[in-house]
Amino acid sequence: MPTDIVERLRLEVRRALEELKAKDIVELDVRGRTSIADYIVVAAGTSTRHVKSIADEVVRYAKKAGMMPLGVEGQREAEWVLVDLGDIIVHVMLPRVREFYGLERMWAVGGDTESEAAYA
């Protein structure tokens, strides 16, 4: 188990997303590009219920790892739920919402896309 708190939290987020079968998971390493977070994780759910369940699982895993979320937004509509874990920001979206906003494309502009890790 990694000793770095951010790395441990990143692994817990990954486990939570995989546990509830989130789709098209992309992890963006934004260190050096912004001060808001070290990582931005984007994933998709197949329905609003799935999106909400995935976000709830991320919160549960983060709490289990000793990290209280700073905020959770969008749970009511559940088309796009943002979970702010401080050093890691998780976006869980419906595919059409994800395509429309294109967060991955926005963060890839001027960035090193090779340093970004995608996992399914």
Side-chain angles (χ1 to χ4, degrees):
M1 187 64 134
T3 56
D4 177 8
I5 187 78
V6 176
E7 183 62 18
R8 283 194 353 243
L9 184 58
R10 190 178 67 78
L11 291 174
E12 289 300 317
V13 166
R14 181 184 302 180
R15 283 189 191 107
L17 294 170
E18 290 172 351
E19 179 73 23
L20 282 193
K21 301 189 181 351
K23 305 292 183 191
D24 304 319
I25 303 165
V26 175
E27 180 181 287
L28 304 167
D29 183 342
V30 295
R31 292 175 291 185
R33 290 197 263 172
T34 182
S35 62
I36 63 168
D38 289 346
Y39 295 95
I40 294 176
V41 180
V42 184
T46 57
S47 67
T48 55
R49 181 175 293 196
H50 191 213
V51 167
K52 183 175 181 341
S53 295
I54 293 167
D56 289 346
E57 192 75 351
V58 168
V59 169
R60 192 172 72 77
Y61 271 67
K63 286 180 178 177
K64 187 174 80 173
M67 173 54 133
M68 292 300 294
L70 299 176
V72 180
E73 300 292 332
Q75 287 180 307
R76 177 172 291 179
E77 297 81 15
E79 292 186 352
W80 177 355
V81 179
L82 180 147
V83 180
D84 185 350
L85 300 171
D87 293 317
I88 300 173
I89 298 174
V90 182
H91 299 270
V92 185
M93 308 167 152
L94 291 175
R96 66 177 168 75
V97 174
R98 184 176 181 173
E99 178 62 30
F100 181 79
Y101 287 100
L103 292 181
E104 296 98 326
R105 289 187 310 271
M106 180 182 75
W107 283 104
V109 172
D112 178 12
T113 55
E114 289 183 23
S115 69
E116 298 165 0
Y119 49 94

